[in-house]
Amino acid sequence: DVPYDAPTEVKRTICSHCSVGCGIYAEVQNGVWTGQEPAFDHPFNAGGHCAKGAALREHGHGEKRLKYPMKLEGGKWKKLSWEQAIEEVGQKALDIRQESGPDSVFFMGSAKFSNEQAYMYRKLAAMWGTNNVDHSARICHSTTVAGVANTWGYGAQTNSFNDIRKSKAMMFIGSNPCEAHPVSMQHILEGKERGAKIIVVDPRFTRTAAKADEFVHIRPGTDIPYIYGLLWHIFENGWEDQTFIDQRVYGMERIREEVKKWNPQEVENVAGVPEKQMRRVAKMLAETKPGTVVWCMGGTQHHVGNANTRSYCILQLALGNMGVEGGGTNIFRGHDNVQGATDFGLLFDTLPGYYGLKTGSWKHWCNVWDLDYEWVKNRFDQAQHLGQDPMTSTGIPCSRWHDGVLEDKSKIAQKDNIRMSFFWGQSVNTETRGREVREALNKMDTVVVVDPFPTMAGVMHERTDGVYLLPAATQFETYGSVSASNRSLQWRTQVIEPLFESKADHIIMYKLAKKWGIDAEFCKHIKVNGDEPLIEDMTREFNKGMWTVGYTGQSPERLKMHQENWGTFDIESLEAPGGPAKGETYGLPWPCWGTADMKHPGTQILYRTGREVKDGGGNFRARYGVEHEGNNILAEGSYSKGSEIQDGYPEFTADMLKQLGWWDDLTAEEKVHAEGKNWKTDISGGIQRVAIKHGCIPYGNAKARCIVWNFPDDIP
Ligand code: SF4
């Protein structure tokens, strides 16, 4: 109903569909979002756009949006007012807390939160008294964070999408940017036009592979043999950067020992890559520098995902590719703010800024929040006091939901019994152990979905009662900062008011805090207008505490100024040669330190080796002990599309096995398992046996479970 000639207001905002962080011009007429264009002058996308980003407006206006709060009662969905919904959900949580303690509630969070909302969600869980928090990083790059942080300090992309233009060689392993991060391809292809070599390492021939000089067709789960096989050639021929190693790297001698067993024959046997190609790729990487390594979930979602990421780092250290333009490890994150949500502590074992759960960390944040440490401490159960005994064994959500939800209702008051879970901007369909998650959803007292859309968490159960759907606003119906994969923060402007009866996440959080009687502490130094806490005050508050990763210099004013002037930043260096942000890097990528005058320029490239170590130049540890463990690609913390996961391994269903013609070769016990009647029995050995019989390739030792792949001789 917008008149065609209504004046158009154009708002600068940021795409929410991946971590590249493209700039968007949103057109608004009479308060209605009527059109959008990719921002021609944005330093990340320079007018580029992809199909996902182009659908932002339609997606936000999708027919399936949740329109008002609802609850499932007697098998029927019933409309609620917000007051009723908060009263009921909040009271249920309080009753459960009274009976079973604060750890009986799980706070599943979201990589779609803004930084401010992620920070407040972690704070809400802390003030509720639990470390039962997680989000999608658990199943994507948490292995990277651990692997990379153990090698050089920060668990993040070291360079940027734009910097890839300067690479002379690019190796993509388990990464398909052409489809997953499409606009990054404009930087990648610019590099190729300037003469860079592209190597794509993947079990599938992807669209990115179509642009490669070398496509390396490895077997799934053989990243370590492949990388160590390259290192074998590099060390054998003296192609390593010995000066760099001598000056900066600890532990490379141990790596030389580890690499010895991955001789060309062994690599060909295991990874399926012939010696000639291995030598060619190793030589290419050694002779065309600087080079970058890019990886995504194809490298991380393995039970050796952490070791995989360490092996990629070791390769870059051996080649001396760290701390330089065009080099580094460009780790492309997935969701638009998965970097920020991780940085702000939406994981069971950290507080915001990767502060752990020890007393000193809690005292640091209590100081920032201006709260008495004893008050926060008393919000927790004595049994898991503040997580001083971190719940590492129970942190993975699916395990926690499943193992923590008790069947026996007589034990309802038992501590550590998950009875209620929020699924806040994150569903369950990408978690492992789908069947167990469904059982857990069935057994919980209350399931609360907070999301713009009804997700699988709201429906993947056989319940008739105790499910709530609370409509959250989309990213474009609120505002705040988000961290792109390259560590730049961007201010995302609100485009329209929340549609239907939806509310912004931080408002819903505040309403719950009020019901729980902790609103005064939750927003002690954050202005609240009605029930709406002021987002800029949240940014200012975390600026005071995020010292470990350098989120202390990005004030709301600076971020807004960068957004208003994004056209003044250079597409290659991301620096502003002039204009109001002269000398600063776009988005003040962390670390950006909160100096007294708030003038730190941000850090586009981590560990500049041209600098002394004391001035931020890198000093690295080549973390040895990198072990290949069979070709098991799917494991705890990982996921599978199209097949059920049981015990963390992909299950061959009865139908699949029949279609393959393998059914008759299984034992009676294995058939019972395959029919899903006794999933605790591990039939991986049986699958291996049958696979061999049918000419497939099950590689591995006794630990290798049930990965079988029938490789074509030619590239598909
Ligand atoms: Fe959006 Fe990513 Fe596509 Fe850019 S590349 S338009 S951020 S989905």
Side-chain angles (χ1 to χ4, degrees):
D1 295 334
V2 181
Y4 73 92
D5 57 350
T8 303
E9 196 187 345
V10 178
K11 302 196 177 189
R12 289 163 178 241
T13 194
I14 306 299
C15 179
S16 62
H17 282 180
C18 91
S19 65
V20 175
C22 297
I24 306 291
Y25 284 119
E27 296 157 2
V28 180
Q29 292 177 284
N30 276 356
V32 178
W33 188 0
T34 52
Q36 70 171 79
E37 293 292 337
F40 65 91
D41 55 349
H42 189 277
F44 294 166
N45 56 312
H49 219 12
C50 77
K52 292 183 287 179
L56 285 181
R57 197 185 70 85
E58 279 83 345
H59 186 226
H61 290 80
E63 280 176 7
K64 291 188 178 154
R65 281 284 297 265
L66 274 174
K67 297 185 176 57
Y68 33 73
M70 289 195 281
K71 79 167 169 181
L72 187 62
E73 197 174 65
K76 292 210 163 56
W77 288 102
K78 183 178 159 193
K79 183 177 174 182
L80 295 180
S81 69
W82 267 106
E83 289 66 32
Q84 268 176 299
I86 294 292
E87 175 58 33
E88 289 188 22
V89 168
Q91 191 57 47
K92 278 180 192 298
L94 288 173
D95 293 345
I96 287 170
R97 182 189 169 94
Q98 183 71 26
E99 287 176 347
S100 311
D103 282 328
S104 50
V105 178
F106 197 103
F107 291 77
M108 190 66 185
S110 180
K112 314 303 281 183
F113 284 151
S114 64
N115 288 330
E116 288 74 14
Q117 290 167 337
Y119 168 70
M120 293 301 277
Y121 194 66
R122 185 63 183 91
K123 193 173 164 186
L124 183 67
M127 290 184 185
W128 171 260
T130 188
N131 293 314
N132 276 341
V133 189
D134 228 311
H135 79 297
S136 62
R138 175 68 50 214
I139 48 170
C140 67
H141 271 296
S142 57
T143 49
T144 293
V145 173
V148 173
N150 273 317
T151 304
W152 36 66
Y154 292 124
Q157 183 168 347
T158 61
N159 293 44
S160 70
F161 296 104
N162 301 54
D163 183 70
I164 294 175
R165 291 166 167 247
K166 298 176 184 166
S167 301
K168 298 276 192 303
M170 311 164 191
M171 187 171 81
F172 298 87
I173 183 160
S175 167
N176 178 17
C178 213
E179 289 175 271
H181 303 87
V183 170
S184 71
M185 282 306 281
Q186 73 178 21
H187 304 296
I188 292 161
L189 294 177
E190 172 67 26
K192 184 176 168 72
E193 281 186 18
R194 297 178 188 181
K197 300 290 182 199
I198 295 185
I199 300 151
V200 173
V201 188
D202 209 297
R204 299 180 307 142
F205 188 82
T206 62
R207 288 178 185 221
T208 309
K211 298 288 178 190
D213 297 276
E214 286 280 353
F215 170 56
V216 185
H217 194 190
I218 61 168
R219 290 190 178 122
T222 60
D223 301 48
I224 293 165
Y226 166 70
I227 296 286
Y228 270 26
L230 290 179
L231 285 165
W232 188 93
H233 286 280
I234 289 167
F235 291 140
E236 189 74 9
N237 292 287
W239 292 335
E240 69 274 26
D241 185 338
Q242 195 57 48
T243 311
F244 179 89
I245 293 169
D246 290 344
Q247 288 175 352
R248 302 275 180 175
V249 186
Y250 300 105
M252 196 57 88
E253 289 316 306
R254 291 282 292 271
I255 301 294
R256 281 178 192 272
E257 291 304 310
E258 285 183 2
V259 162
K260 279 184 184 154
K261 73 176 175 194
W262 293 107
N263 60 55
Q265 190 53 52
E266 191 63 12
V267 171
E268 183 158 357
N269 288 346
V270 176
V273 187
E275 179 178 359
K276 271 189 189 162
Q277 189 180 31
M278 291 297 293
R279 184 183 157 82
R280 236 179 17 241
V281 171
K283 194 161 188 273
M284 185 183 279
L285 289 170
E287 289 179 349
T288 45
K289 292 203 278 186
T292 186
V293 175
V294 178
W295 74 82
C296 292
M297 260 108 281
T300 60
Q301 290 184 330
H302 298 247
H303 80 272
V304 291
N306 177 268
N308 282 351
T309 65
R310 277 158 51 198
S311 74
Y312 312 146
C313 298
I314 290 165
L315 175 69
Q316 287 297 70
L317 291 178
L319 294 168
N321 270 332
M322 293 309 300
V324 290
E325 288 181 341
T329 46
N330 280 301
I331 306 149
F332 292 180
R333 309 293 303 243
H335 286 304
D336 56 322
N337 200 33
V338 69
Q339 183 65 54
T342 311
D343 296 336
F344 283 94
L346 295 191
L347 298 169
F348 63 86
D349 55 347
T350 69
L351 287 169
Y354 304 97
Y355 285 84
L357 299 175
K358 295 261 162 66
T359 308
S361 302
W362 281 105
K363 286 191 170 167
H364 167 77
W365 280 105
C366 287
N367 209 14
V368 174
W369 299 332
D370 190 17
L371 292 179
D372 180 17
Y373 169 69
E374 291 301 320
W375 181 85
V376 176
K377 189 168 141 186
N378 289 331
R379 299 287 301 163
F380 279 73
D381 269 347
Q382 292 303 310
Q384 290 187 327
H385 208 60
L386 293 169
Q388 284 170 3
D389 175 19
M391 303 187 298
T392 44
S393 61
T394 53
I396 296 170
C398 49
S399 313
R400 184 86 181 104
W401 293 322
H402 184 261
D403 303 337
V405 180
L406 294 182
E407 190 105 45
D408 182 352
K409 295 286 180 194
S410 68
K411 293 184 184 158
I412 210 95
Q414 180 175 313
K415 302 288 183 201
D416 206 21
N417 168 17
I418 298 280
R419 296 178 55 192
M420 175 171 183
S421 184
F422 288 94
F423 294 93
W424 203 310
Q426 168 78 19
S427 188
V428 291
N429 36 325
T430 51
E431 300 293 342
T432 54
R433 303 167 72 179
R435 192 173 306 177
E436 295 167 273
V437 170
R438 187 165 58 209
E439 281 174 21
L441 290 173
N442 286 342
K443 283 190 261 171
M444 281 180 209
D445 291 43
T446 308
V447 172
V448 185
V449 172
V450 189
D451 206 284
F453 294 91
T455 63
M456 288 291 281
V459 294
M460 199 183 86
H461 49 70
E462 289 128 351
R463 307 176 63 105
T464 52
D465 289 285
V467 184
Y468 289 83
L469 303 178
L470 306 185
T474 66
Q475 291 96 327
F476 303 100
E477 294 155 18
T478 181
Y479 67 96
S481 67
V482 280
S483 300
S485 192
N486 73 324
R487 296 169 284 106
S488 280
L489 277 68
Q490 302 197 81
W491 200 259
R492 183 185 272 142
T493 310
Q494 183 167 351
V495 175
I496 46 171
E497 290 301 315
L499 293 180
F500 312 110
E501 291 181 24
S502 62
K503 290 190 185 300
D505 298 292
H506 56 286
I507 297 177
I508 305 171
M509 289 175 210
Y510 181 77
K511 282 177 176 290
L512 280 172
K514 206 154 118 181
K515 170 67 191 167
W516 294 337
I518 52 173
D519 49 318
E521 291 82 4
F522 185 54
C523 288
K524 190 161 184 189
H525 292 289
I526 293 169
K527 267 189 231 97
V528 181
N529 190 2
D531 277 351
E532 182 168 358
L534 183 66
I535 286 174
E536 285 85 344
D537 278 357
M538 299 171 201
T539 323
R540 290 183 193 107
E541 187 175 285
F542 71 61
N543 281 160
K544 287 188 208 154
M546 295 285 284
W547 285 101
T548 41
V549 276
Y551 265 96
T552 49
Q554 304 100 332
S555 65
E557 292 74 22
R558 292 184 84 191
L559 292 176
K560 286 179 192 176
M561 185 267 281
H562 275 225
Q563 188 228 36
E564 282 155 18
N565 295 282
W566 65 27
T568 63
F569 291 86
D570 178 62
I571 194 166
E572 204 142 306
S573 66
L574 288 179
E575 287 171 9
K582 186 175 174 186
E584 295 182 357
T585 304
Y586 177 66
L588 302 167
W590 63 258
C592 172
W593 305 112
T595 46
D597 56 2
M598 293 297 257
K599 287 280 188 204
H600 191 280
T603 310
Q604 202 214 156
I605 296 173
L606 292 176
Y607 325 115
R608 291 265 192 181
T609 43
R611 296 181 188 156
E612 290 293 316
V613 173
K614 67 178 169 44
D615 295 326
N619 228 7
F620 311 107
R621 274 183 295 174
R623 287 297 299 249
Y624 43 81
V626 177
E627 288 285 350
H628 171 66
E629 289 185 30
N631 296 7
N632 186 348
I633 60 166
L634 295 161
E636 295 285 0
S638 180
Y639 80 112
S640 168
K641 291 264 190 253
S643 67
E644 282 277 339
I645 297 280
Q646 295 189 346
D647 267 345
Y649 305 109
E651 182 198 27
F652 286 78
T653 63
D655 279 351
M656 285 161 66
L657 291 161
K658 283 173 189 165
Q659 273 177 27
L660 286 164
W662 295 2
W663 187 251
D664 292 341
D665 296 311
L666 294 176
T667 65
E669 191 191 15
E670 287 161 356
K671 285 179 181 167
V672 170
H673 171 103
E675 285 169 332
K677 293 178 186 155
N678 180 15
W679 56 266
K680 295 229 183 245
T681 309
D682 184 351
I683 60 163
S684 54
I687 293 288
Q688 284 208 10
R689 186 190 70 240
V690 179
I692 292 167
K693 181 173 173 197
H694 290 271
C696 289
I697 306 167
Y699 174 78
N701 52 29
K703 281 187 186 167
R705 297 316 208 271
C706 52
I707 296 300
V708 283
W709 297 90
N710 204 352
F711 272 85
D713 290 335
D714 303 320
I715 292 169

